[in-house]
């Protein structure tokens, strides 16, 4: 009685209204706060990755070799003379040769040997007559290139010749370049740092993973969605599949390493693309089964009933009615799986190797893009530039994939609503 | 009554003979000891209140109940004297076609919808399929409306057209029997009338067993009518007899609208 009355009591109801508004405000406020946190995190990631990686990203970076190639350089008229003097604010660890406009730093090769790298090349540096003796084309030295050995001399008459090796350090190299005005010839490690190999091994990885996972996953989904009776075994199976998708990927890596590596014995202890993709297939199997089964269940029962009532067998119904209708779901699951493969590193470190290669052979170990980052960052010096450049690529592909998935599900919804 | 029975037996061939049919969904019994004969080239209507087992009974005739996990059947359903439980359900369903309450064309062209059944049986010959499509659509009184757009999606037709497409699709199998579960309950009066006319024209070539909630419809189109109540088959009779002089008091109460 009292409660009913209070609803009509103006003062009381105002109070209740105020309280309700307060609660609404708090709830809405915290919702916005928390969601803005996640937005902030996303923006932070993008800003960091783009600021660090954008400069490194280039066509040469994407299609280039990771390992530098040895190039020998000769000069146009046997010898180049430098006449200008250049200025450059050398940073810590950099040694500048003013007469050449070149700066050097100490570095290591991908094999870990000491080497001298060019860290600065003046835009007007007098190296115009340098010639790549393999191709016969002009050779313009670039930042990052490694000097293996160089022959310097005092004059075109070659009265005094000095051979400087790249493993003697940057300080020594710069001092000798300063001293001599002529370069007779040079051997340089050119290029390198590119990700073409890792890109290709990622593509192989995707292909093999889908090849293993799609037939198994679709088969499993058809079994669960069409044939399986609703009993204890089926329910246990479903729960198991749900649980698999929650297992951390590093555990997949460990178990994959133990189970699949012996199969690929002979290809080295770190596995190859096949063992890696077998592991990845196990990881994405639950995604494919779940998404496909869901889309099979979404097909109206009356469709398969109509088919069976027309004298079609269960198998004919599966292939003619159920699978074509479930195709968008299958495609979605495949795309989600591809996203997982592209982004995965932990499971692959033990199963397909961490070595970055330029020539990709599926029966040998090689790093995918995500593992490429792992390798770059686990060296002595962390290569943030290249890692972030790879990250930009990965983020871009993942974004594309999720957009495609969105569009797919939208078009399916439209189709279901429209008809 | 006796004279009527002998008259039936002389002129009509029994196509389905149901003997002591009991059906259980799990522990729940949905049909109790059903005994009935269904005659060739007749329209038999099944009437009764909702949940009395009409659809369940209909699904027994082409073994669609097989698809329900915990459905158990005992008794005999004799089709031309053979128990349907002993024949291949796929073969049975090519002879006993079915049309559902909701029009359910496949999301493919009108042409492919009609060819679906024959193709599943391995018919590939193009000219044969073309003939089949035209014949079935004509029989289902849909040919004139769709003959220019056989390639359009079956889902794009109106509800009434979709239902006639489903009938044509079933007829393409050249079945002997057509089971129809409330085929007009989702349709407007004009489409309903078209389908009723269609049913009456089809009975010369096919045997039709139709579930309906519309007593007028049963009275209009059916030769025989069976009245179900709570899983029991209360009465089967010639339609005029059942509606004018029902032999069971429950039937009378139902058709005069006093319960159900
Ligand atoms: N798949 C099923 N599993 C369990 N029980 C079912 C199933 N299908 C039907 N039943 C039950 O069997 C009984 C008969 O159902 P049925 O669908 O045959 O009735 P109906 O006469 O066709 O009703 P309506 O006129 O509403 O279509 C109902 O009590 C129903 O709840
Ligand atoms: Mg029903």
């Amino acid at each position: 009685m009292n409660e009913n009355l209070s609803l009509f009591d103006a003062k009381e109801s105002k109070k209740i209204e105020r309280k309700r508004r307060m609660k609404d405000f708090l709830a809405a406020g915290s919702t916005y706060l928390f969601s803005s946190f996640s937005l902030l995190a996303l923006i932070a990631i993008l800003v960091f990755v783009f600021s660090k990686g954008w400069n490194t990203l280039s066509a040469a970076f994407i299609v280039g070799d990771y390992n530098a190639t040895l190039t020998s350089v000769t000069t146009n008229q046997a010898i180049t003379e430098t006449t200008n003097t250049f200025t450059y604010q050398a940073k810590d660890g950099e040694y500048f040769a003013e007469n050449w406009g070149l700066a050097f730093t100490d570095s290591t090769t991908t094999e870990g040997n000491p080497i001298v790298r060019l860290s600065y090349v003046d835009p007007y540096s007098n190296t115009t007559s340098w010639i790549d003796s393999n191709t016969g084309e002009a050779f313009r030295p670039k930042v990052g290139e490694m000097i293996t050995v160089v022959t310097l001399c005092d004059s075109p008459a070659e009265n005094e010749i000095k051979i400087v090796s790249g493993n003697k350090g940057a300080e020594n190299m710069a001092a000798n370049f300063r001293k001599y005005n002529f370069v007779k010839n040079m051997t340089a490690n050119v290029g390198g740092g590119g990700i073409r190999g890792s890109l290709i091994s990622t593509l192989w990885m995707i292909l093999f993973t889908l090849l293993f996972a799609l037939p198994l996953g679709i088969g499993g989904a058809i079994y669960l969605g069409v044939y399986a009776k609703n009993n204890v075994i089926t329910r246990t199976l479903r729960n198991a599949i749900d649980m698999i998708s929650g297992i951390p990927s590093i555990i997949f890596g460990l178990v994959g390493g133990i189970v699949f590596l012996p199969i690929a014995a002979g290809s080295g202890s770190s596995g190859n693309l096949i063992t890696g993709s077998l592991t990845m297939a196990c990881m994405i199997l639950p995604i494919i089964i779940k998404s496909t089964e869901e889309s099979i269940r979404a097909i109206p029962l009356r469709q398969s009933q109509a088919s069976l009532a027309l004298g079609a067998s269960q198998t004919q119904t599966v292939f003619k009615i159920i699978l074509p209708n479930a195709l968008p779901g299958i495609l979605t699951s495949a795309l989600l799986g591809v996203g997982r493969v592209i982004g995965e590193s932990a499971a692959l470190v033990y199963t397909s190797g961490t070595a970055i290669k330029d020539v990709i052979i599926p029966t040998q170990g090689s790093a995918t893009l995500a593992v490429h980052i792992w390798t770059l960052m686990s060296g002595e010096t962390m290569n943030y530039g290249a890692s972030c450049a790879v990250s930009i690529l990965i983020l871009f592909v993942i974004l594309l994939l999720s957009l495609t998935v969105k569009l797919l599900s939208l078009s399916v919804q439209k189709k279901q609503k429209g008809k | 009554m006796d004279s009527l029975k002998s008259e039936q037996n002389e002129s009509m061939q029994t196509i389905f003979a149901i003997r002591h049919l009991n059906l259980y969904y799990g522990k729940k019994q949905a049909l109790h000891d059903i005994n009935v004969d269904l005659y060739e080239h007749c329209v038999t209507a099944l009437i009764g209140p909702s949940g009395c087992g009409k659809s369940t009974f209909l699904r027994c005739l082409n073994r669609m109940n097989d698809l329900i996990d915990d459905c158990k059947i005992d008794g005999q359903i004799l089709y031309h004297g053979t128990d349907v439980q002993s024949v291949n359900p796929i073969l049975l369903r090519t002879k006993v076609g079915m049309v559902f309450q909701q029009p359910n064309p496949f999301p493919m062209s009108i042409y492919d919808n009609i060819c679906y059944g024959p193709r599943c049986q391995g018919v590939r010959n193009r000219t044969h399929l073309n003939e089949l499509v035209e014949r079935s659509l004509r029989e289902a009184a849909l040919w004139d409306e769709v003959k220019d757009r056989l390639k359009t999606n079956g889902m794009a037709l109106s509800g009434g057209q979709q239902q006639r497409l489903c009938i044509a699709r079933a007829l393409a199998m050249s079945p002997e029997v057509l089971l129809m579960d409330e085929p007009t309950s989702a349709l407007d009066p004009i489409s309903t009338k078209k389908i009723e006319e269609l049913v009456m024209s089809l009975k010369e070539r096919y045997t039709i067993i139709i579930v309906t909630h519309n007593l007028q419809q049963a009275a209009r189109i059916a030769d025989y009518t069976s009245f179900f109540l709570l899983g029991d088959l209360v009465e089967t009779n010639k339609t005029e007899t059942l509606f004018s002089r029902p032999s069971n008091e429950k039937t009378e109460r139902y058709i005069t609208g006093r319960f159900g």
Side-chain angles (χ1 to χ4, degrees):
Chain A
M1 229 14 211
N2 251 339
E3 280 170 8
N4 275 344
L5 272 179
S6 72
L7 277 178
F8 298 103
D9 179 349
K11 229 170 144 189
E12 193 70 3
S13 74
K14 239 186 193 163
K15 218 164 132 194
I16 292 171
E17 176 65 19
R18 248 210 324 276
K19 247 184 171 171
R20 197 178 59 83
R21 282 226 187 117
M22 196 62 179
K23 272 186 188 161
D24 282 359
F25 177 77
L26 279 179
S30 50
T31 313
Y32 289 134
L33 192 70
F34 294 139
S35 44
S36 62
F37 270 137
S38 52
L39 190 68
L40 269 180
L42 181 70
I43 291 173
I45 289 172
L46 289 180
V47 166
F48 175 80
V49 164
F50 270 85
S51 66
K52 291 265 180 188
W54 187 248
N55 288 333
T56 314
L57 201 60
S58 66
F61 176 74
I62 294 173
V63 301
D65 280 343
Y66 180 69
N67 293 305
T69 50
L70 217 59
T71 304
S72 79
V73 176
T74 53
T75 54
N76 218 1
Q77 298 123 0
I79 279 166
T80 304
E81 187 178 356
T82 63
T83 50
N84 303 345
T85 331
F86 299 92
T87 50
Y88 170 64
Q89 201 62 46
K91 292 190 207 92
D92 226 21
E94 270 186 324
Y95 304 94
F96 188 58
E98 295 81 3
N99 51 339
W100 286 94
L102 301 173
F104 308 91
T105 53
D106 287 309
S107 180
T108 50
T109 61
T110 44
E111 289 82 33
N113 301 318
I115 192 93
V116 170
R117 253 182 224 277
L118 281 172
S119 64
Y120 172 75
V121 178
D122 193 281
Y124 301 104
S125 137
N126 195 6
T127 54
T128 42
S129 62
W130 289 12
I131 290 287
D132 184 328
S133 49
N134 292 335
T135 60
E137 283 164 19
F139 178 84
R140 301 286 297 175
K142 288 188 208 69
V143 170
E145 281 167 5
M146 296 174 271
I147 297 172
T148 316
V149 65
V150 59
T151 310
L152 300 159
C153 42
D154 64 333
S155 69
E158 300 183 33
N159 295 326
E160 197 185 329
I161 292 178
K162 174 84 178 180
I163 299 172
V164 187
S165 166
N167 58 16
K168 291 288 188 310
E171 194 172 0
N172 174 48
M173 180 69 72
N176 279 303
F177 262 89
R178 254 181 242 125
K179 202 162 143 198
Y180 296 99
N181 272 347
F182 299 94
V183 169
K184 189 173 155 59
N185 56 48
M186 185 171 90
T187 310
N189 257 326
V190 178
I195 58 166
R196 189 198 63 240
S198 303
L199 209 65
I200 293 175
S201 86
T202 307
L203 293 180
W204 278 116
M205 186 67 82
I206 290 171
L207 181 77
F208 285 133
T209 304
L210 290 183
L211 221 60
F212 295 133
L214 272 184
L216 281 176
I218 295 173
I222 289 174
Y223 172 74
L224 283 176
V226 180
Y227 292 98
K229 293 215 156 65
N230 185 15
N231 56 24
V232 187
I233 301 171
T234 313
R235 280 194 293 273
T236 317
L237 219 64
R238 269 212 194 89
N239 287 335
I241 290 166
D242 280 348
M243 259 166 55
I244 291 177
S245 37
I247 295 177
S249 55
I250 186 82
I251 296 178
F252 274 100
L254 283 174
V255 177
I258 294 166
V259 176
F260 295 129
L261 284 197
I263 301 173
S267 69
S269 58
S270 60
N272 57 31
L273 285 178
I274 311 267
T275 53
S277 54
L278 280 169
T279 311
M280 286 312 297
C282 295
M283 256 180 79
I284 69 165
L285 206 56
I287 303 177
I288 292 185
I289 292 181
K290 279 203 81 159
S291 165
T292 308
E293 194 199 342
E294 257 163 40
S295 58
I296 285 178
R297 286 186 179 281
I299 300 168
L301 190 66
R302 54 173 191 264
Q303 289 284 325
S304 45
Q305 272 182 349
S307 167
L308 292 168
L310 282 167
S313 67
Q314 189 68 261
T315 318
Q316 281 169 330
T317 306
V318 164
F319 280 95
K320 291 181 168 216
I321 301 294
I322 292 176
L323 278 185
N325 273 296
L327 208 61
I330 296 172
L331 218 63
T332 303
S333 71
L335 291 179
L336 291 175
V338 168
R340 280 299 282 276
V341 175
I342 291 175
E344 186 54 53
S345 62
L348 293 176
V349 164
Y350 302 123
T351 52
S352 73
T354 57
I356 302 170
K357 301 256 178 80
D358 288 319
V359 179
I360 304 302
I361 300 163
T363 50
Q364 286 177 5
S366 61
T368 62
L369 282 178
V371 180
H372 189 112
I373 296 180
W374 188 88
T375 307
L376 287 179
M377 296 301 287
S378 57
E380 261 170 44
T381 52
M382 299 181 191
N383 191 345
Y384 275 106
S387 301
C388 286
V390 178
S391 305
I392 293 175
L393 282 183
I394 292 180
L395 287 176
F396 179 71
V397 175
I398 301 274
L399 191 78
L400 262 185
L401 284 175
S402 57
L403 268 180
T404 318
V405 168
K406 272 263 157 60
L407 285 179
L408 253 175
S409 70
L410 264 182
S411 77
V412 170
Q413 274 173 17
K414 240 192 201 160
K415 214 170 149 191
Q416 280 167 352
K417 262 188 207 154
K419 274 135 190 192
Chain B
M1 273 309 273
D2 275 341
S3 67
L4 186 80
K5 265 213 169 114
S6 59
E7 180 195 323
Q8 283 168 6
N9 289 341
E10 276 160 27
S11 62
M12 311 275 185
Q13 285 287 325
T14 301
I15 189 159
F16 273 112
I18 318 304
R19 298 287 174 263
H20 303 295
L21 173 66
N22 287 287
L23 185 143
Y24 309 82
Y25 288 121
K27 291 203 165 55
K28 184 172 167 285
Q29 185 162 9
L31 293 177
H32 303 268
D33 193 37
I34 309 285
N35 291 286
V36 67
D37 282 355
L38 302 171
Y39 299 109
E40 239 174 351
H41 300 297
C42 285
V43 177
T44 305
L46 310 180
I47 59 168
S50 190
C52 65
K54 305 179 295 292
S55 301
T56 303
F57 175 74
L58 201 68
R59 283 199 302 265
C60 289
L61 302 180
N62 67 343
R63 288 186 59 180
M64 286 298 274
N65 279 327
D66 288 14
L67 308 177
I68 298 166
D69 271 354
D70 55 357
C71 175
K72 214 176 98 251
I73 292 175
D74 60 45
Q76 282 184 313
I77 303 162
L78 302 171
Y79 174 62
H80 288 304
T82 348
D83 194 338
V84 297
Q85 300 300 326
S86 67
V87 303
N88 181 350
I90 291 173
L91 211 67
L92 178 70
R93 289 174 198 149
T94 63
K95 292 279 158 224
V96 184
M98 192 167 205
V99 175
F100 297 80
Q101 179 174 4
Q102 286 287 333
N104 55 359
F106 299 125
M108 43 177 95
S109 72
I110 294 173
Y111 186 94
D112 289 337
N113 260 286
I114 309 264
C115 293
Y116 185 87
R119 279 183 180 148
C120 281
Q121 302 306 315
V123 179
R124 287 277 171 274
N125 186 312
R126 192 86 200 170
T127 43
H128 184 51
L129 285 175
N130 288 344
E131 281 167 20
L132 212 59
V133 168
E134 181 170 349
R135 197 207 74 205
S136 314
L137 283 172
R138 278 189 194 283
E139 276 189 329
L142 191 60
W143 175 251
D144 292 329
E145 286 159 71
V146 301
K147 65 179 175 217
D148 302 322
R149 45 172 176 149
L150 293 177
K151 291 273 168 276
T152 54
N153 197 306
M155 300 274 221
L157 297 174
S158 76
Q161 289 173 327
Q162 285 189 16
Q163 194 62 298
R164 277 179 285 149
L165 176 61
C166 293
I167 294 173
R169 185 175 65 183
L171 295 180
M173 295 300 293
S174 311
E176 292 187 344
V177 185
L178 206 53
L179 308 176
M180 303 177 124
D181 195 349
E182 301 181 43
T184 61
S185 67
L187 304 181
D188 66 293
I190 293 172
S191 305
T192 301
K193 187 158 171 281
K194 276 197 177 146
I195 296 212
E196 283 180 13
E197 284 164 5
L198 178 60
V199 167
M200 289 197 282
S201 74
L202 287 176
K203 75 173 177 186
E204 289 177 11
R205 303 191 44 190
Y206 307 94
T207 305
I208 290 168
I209 299 156
I210 181 169
V211 173
T212 177
H213 271 149
N214 183 335
L215 299 184
Q216 280 85 35
Q217 185 174 64
R220 277 195 299 269
I221 62 176
D223 302 303
Y224 290 87
T225 299
S226 296
F227 171 56
F228 282 78
L229 186 63
L230 297 171
D232 288 311
L233 177 52
V234 176
E235 180 175 350
T236 302
N237 228 324
K238 281 214 156 200
T239 301
E240 310 97 76
T241 320
L242 189 126
F243 280 103
S244 54
R245 290 169 279 120
S247 55
N248 192 299
E249 182 212 358
K250 289 176 188 164
T251 317
E252 186 179 354
R253 269 161 60 191
Y254 181 71
I255 59 175
T256 52
R258 271 182 284 159
F259 75 87

